[in-house]
Amino acid sequence: RGRTMVCVGRAQPFHTAPARYETLAALPHPGCFHHAPSQISVSTVGIPEGMLRSARRFPRVRLALSLHSAREEVRQRIIPNALRVSLAELRATVEEVTSIQGQPVMLEYLMLEGTNDGDLCQQALVEWAEGLSVHINLIPYNPIADAPELRSTPKPRREAFANALKARGFKVPLRYSLGADVTAACGQLVRDENRRTSDQMRS
């Protein structure tokens, strides 16, 4: 049975804590989905207090951190929330979460050509994650019309990046892209549907 990714709310589940807690309680319940907690993951852009509360309340539910860069200036360009939470604070949070849960945190890393896939970014990721109990999930980027400046890292470079991390002892599942033909990614499909609906209402 595959892992169930749980993202309650608009891309940031720790901003909708009551709904998230209700969902996480319902998913394992025999009368609902009956998923084992260890098969449920909550993905977050990095809200330290929310991550710690979740780890304590749901110790078997896995956490996934959308890291995308271990260089402060690069991460701040990719993720607006990075202006409020430093990489040092996130690292300390991941360390505490794994201490509470006794299981690795997944680091999600979207591969963007010329942005976070170079040697400096690779070395920064190694140094940031060294000593942490983590898996590093390298994710291909599906291009979208709203961000023509962003390009997906070519497959050979993604594989080389993954192999370099594996050589340093990290577990690195390399995700292969599906849904590029419909610009599928977190939030994109519903955003496009909302745009079409709005256009129809105006016409």
Side-chain angles (χ1 to χ4, degrees):
R1 193 165 52 176
R3 179 157 300 153
T4 301
M5 292 299 293
V6 179
C7 291
V8 180
R10 190 183 176 95
Q12 185 41 250
F14 295 120
H15 288 162
T16 56
R20 178 176 55 84
Y21 289 153
E22 183 178 345
T23 300
L24 290 177
L27 283 169
H29 195 279
C32 293
F33 294 92
H34 206 191
H35 287 299
S38 61
Q39 295 298 312
I40 301 170
S41 295
V42 176
S43 178
T44 173
V45 75
I47 309 295
E49 60 274 17
M51 294 172 68
L52 293 172
R53 281 197 301 270
S54 183
R56 295 187 183 105
R57 185 161 180 172
F58 302 96
R60 294 178 59 206
V61 170
R62 297 178 180 274
L63 285 175
L65 171 64
S66 295
L67 186 66
H68 306 319
S69 179
R71 296 175 65 194
E72 205 79 74
E73 69 279 9
V74 176
R75 191 168 192 269
Q76 288 174 5
R77 290 205 308 269
I78 299 172
I79 304 175
N81 186 69
L83 293 168
R84 298 189 292 272
V85 182
S86 71
L87 283 165
E89 186 177 1
L90 276 182
R91 192 186 191 284
T93 302
V94 169
E95 193 168 25
E96 189 170 351
V97 164
T98 56
S99 175
I100 293 168
Q101 294 192 315
Q103 61 185 357
V105 167
M106 177 68 77
L107 301 182
E108 296 169 324
Y109 198 99
L110 186 68
M111 299 291 292
L112 298 169
E113 185 180 23
T115 298
N116 65 353
D117 61 352
D119 292 341
L120 287 177
C121 285
Q122 176 189 295
Q123 184 57 35
L125 179 58
V126 167
E127 293 174 0
W128 188 89
E130 198 85 58
L132 294 177
S133 178
V134 293
H135 294 170
I136 302 173
N137 188 13
L138 301 181
I139 306 169
Y141 170 70
N142 286 344
I144 59 173
D146 287 355
E149 73 282 3
L150 298 179
R151 301 180 305 277
S152 181
T153 297
K155 182 179 176 182
R157 177 57 190 160
R158 294 200 309 267
E159 292 177 342
F161 198 100
N163 289 334
L165 294 173
K166 290 175 182 177
R168 298 296 294 267
F170 294 103
K171 293 183 178 179
V172 188
L174 186 60
R175 186 184 298 178
Y176 290 92
S177 180
L178 296 172
D181 57 329
V182 291
T183 62
C186 184
Q188 289 174 196
L189 293 177
V190 69
R191 179 209 60 197
D192 290 345
E193 181 61 27
N194 288 344
R195 182 186 295 122
R196 283 192 292 271
T197 301
S198 178
D199 290 342
Q200 290 169 1
M201 292 176 66
R202 286 197 298 266
S203 62

